Amino acid sequence: MGIVETRNLVFEYIKRDEEGNAAGITRAIDGVTLDIKKGQFIAILGGNGSGKSTLAKHINAILYPTEGAVYVNGKDTSAPENLWDVRQEAGMVFQNPDNQIIANVVEEDVGFGPENMGVPTEEIWNRVDESLKAVGMEKYRKHSPNRLSGGQKQRVAIAGVLAMHPKCIIMDEPTAMLDPEGRYEVIRAARALNQVENVTIILITHYMNEVVFADQVYVMDHGKVAMRGTPREIFSKVDELKKLRLDVPQPTLLAHELQQKGMKLEKGILDRNEFIAGLKAVMGGVSADSPALSDSAEKEPAARKNDLQDALILDHVSYTYSTGTSDEIHALNDVSLTINKGEFIGLIGHTGSGKSTFVQHLNGIIKATSGHVYFRGQDIYDKSYNLKELRSHVGLVFQYPEHQLFEETVFKDVCFGPRNLGLSEKEVELRAFEALKAVRLPDEYFYVSPFDLSGGQKRRVAIAGVLAMKPDILILDEPTAGLDPQGRDEILDLVKSLREEQNITVILVSHSMEDVANYVDRILVLERGSILMDGTPKEVFRHVDELERIGLRAPEVTYIMRDLKNAGIPVNTGITTVPEAAQEILRAEGRIK
């Protein structure tokens, strides 16, 4: 028997109506059988609602089977007497580390689990030492968790689980809210535990590049295991994965697009080293002296004409939290810039760089410690300025947009904003209806509870609630975090369409360099509260080394093009998207002009 085994696992839950009455049964897990061996690294993929997290909660005995059985190291998770043994042997790391960290000092938090297991004090401290060392956080043991970055917090959460000496760790989207460096830190720590400590890892993720080294990949759909195989076997089936709301790593997708154009690359290429080797093999006849498009010659999008009448201007804005105390933090430092009407701006920076603080200045939620913010030529800090009116023009969708939902029905929730503008009821309802249509939410969801919707649908409703205010500027703070690839693309395509149809300004805060490269026309890079870079995606992503220095990265295809150039293949390295990369490689091979 493996470390984790499920036998025909079925889990059903009862759906209830607004009055709390039973309104049907939903089968979240439908006959899943797994046999995970000790020491394996297992990846579980699937779209939102496919049953991934429900399955994970069964392995940790948070949920119990409706039918079938789950065994952890031979122990039936349904037996009450096995509960604590199961949770000791199969630890769980959740998406948001703040939900797991409870102590004021890192070492105390890591020791909390063993203490509750009755482990002797001396042994607790030994476990704290070894666990922090295993995740590379020993030098932070005396720090407050509140002072750590997202990636560091997640590593502390992993250490807290590790200190309980589990044989298996289940990680449920542990990197969903992290910047690129934070994601790398967490996955590196998980791999080290697997390879050095022989801990079984079960990783649930929407980032396909995190699973290319897994032993086995399970793909779930509607509660069933739809696909199973090695990463190469799974990622060879690009079209099948797309039908399941998933995507593939960028090197795999680029190879697939070139294969569609007749280039004889191997299927299931997993990383950029494999891609480079494969491409060199099929392009062996291309001379390094062949003409290449100059990296600097590529035309950038024409700059938008500044219209200061509609602009949002920050003039030497600084902001300090907890001024004059030992906890004083300078979140923004002398920021000056102009946001022009109709721009699609990407705001990037590592966790703690000041992104959320920055956007909350744009509609007056936070007032600058020094400096000024101007909208349409008026200082929003003037005593006579109407901040309520400003917020009808500058709409903000928060990092967890579902936290903005609170009404009984979707339609009532979207009505809330315009109703507070003092509009007639007819105008309120008209705006709500138009906004829900704009975000393409089907009519049948208008009068259901927003809490019965999927993650992607909740995001649409939150965006509709802001759109109903008819803003000129729409700010989205990590709107796709936790969404599956198709849900991510749907939201971003929607935002792109709204921007084009309604000529609104969009500011997208994101940790995904690929999303930023695909959608925006201007990038602002924040570092320690200051604007480090301001330019087009191509301009910004040329500075790969500087981005890496501050915990960011370029899109994977940008690295691929750089590596190809270094390998003697004459390509332009200023490429940021997969379609551009495919075109440039075909041009270099001579297939297209």
Side-chain angles (χ1 to χ4, degrees), residues 96-117:
N96 188 346
D98 290 330
N99 294 340
Q100 281 185 262
I101 295 175
I102 58 172
N104 294 321
V105 180
V106 165
E107 63 179 9
E108 292 177 0
D109 194 90
V110 175
F112 181 80
E115 184 178 14
N116 278 274
M117 292 164 52

Side-chain angles (χ1 to χ4, degrees), residues 84-139:
W84 295 112
D85 286 341
V86 166
R87 290 186 179 168
Q88 179 182 343
E89 296 187 351
M92 187 93 164
V93 178
F94 295 95
Q95 183 181 111
N96 188 346
D98 290 330
N99 294 340
Q100 281 185 262
I101 295 175
I102 58 172
N104 294 321
V105 180
V106 165
E107 63 179 9
E108 292 177 0
D109 194 90
V110 175
F112 181 80
E115 184 178 14
N116 278 274
M117 292 164 52
V119 174
T121 301
E122 185 176 352
E123 174 62 14
I124 289 175
W125 290 116
N126 288 336
R127 292 192 184 191
V128 169
D129 291 342
E130 67 183 20
S131 299
L132 286 172
K133 184 176 181 180
V135 298
M137 289 294 290
E138 60 266 45
K139 70 179 180 180

Side-chain angles (χ1 to χ4, degrees), residues 4-73:
V4 174
E5 184 177 353
T6 70
R7 297 178 184 172
N8 297 314
L9 174 62
V10 173
F11 180 74
E12 297 174 335
Y13 63 88
I14 299 173
K15 292 188 71 174
R16 299 188 180 277
D17 59 24
E18 294 180 12
E19 285 74 38
N21 300 315
I25 294 176
T26 295
R27 181 165 285 199
I29 300 290
D30 190 2
V32 170
T33 296
L34 305 177
D35 185 7
I36 298 172
K37 305 300 184 185
K38 180 173 175 56
Q40 284 191 310
F41 196 116
I42 300 297
I44 300 180
L45 308 177
N48 292 116
S50 62
K52 308 183 301 299
S53 293
T54 302
L55 175 61
K57 289 173 183 175
H58 276 82
I59 298 172
N60 189 240
I62 295 173
L63 296 175
Y64 303 109
T66 303
E67 298 175 20
V70 179
Y71 297 92
V72 173
N73 205 26

Side-chain angles (χ1 to χ4, degrees), residues 520-537:
V520 312
D521 46 39
R522 177 185 176 190
I523 296 177
L524 302 174
V525 182
L526 266 179
E527 165 65 356
R528 297 183 180 180
S530 298
I531 301 294
L532 182 66
M533 300 182 203
D534 180 355
T536 66

Side-chain angles (χ1 to χ4, degrees), residues 242-274:
K242 287 183 177 179
K243 290 177 182 177
L244 296 174
R245 300 178 62 89
L246 301 176
D247 58 12
V248 295
Q250 280 202 330
T252 312
L253 182 59
L254 179 55
H256 177 73
E257 292 209 2
L258 292 170
Q259 290 159 5
Q260 300 294 101
K261 300 292 185 180
M263 194 172 279
K264 295 182 179 180
L265 289 165
E266 294 291 327
K267 283 191 173 183
I269 284 174
L270 295 178
D271 59 37
R272 74 176 190 252
N273 290 330
E274 289 186 359

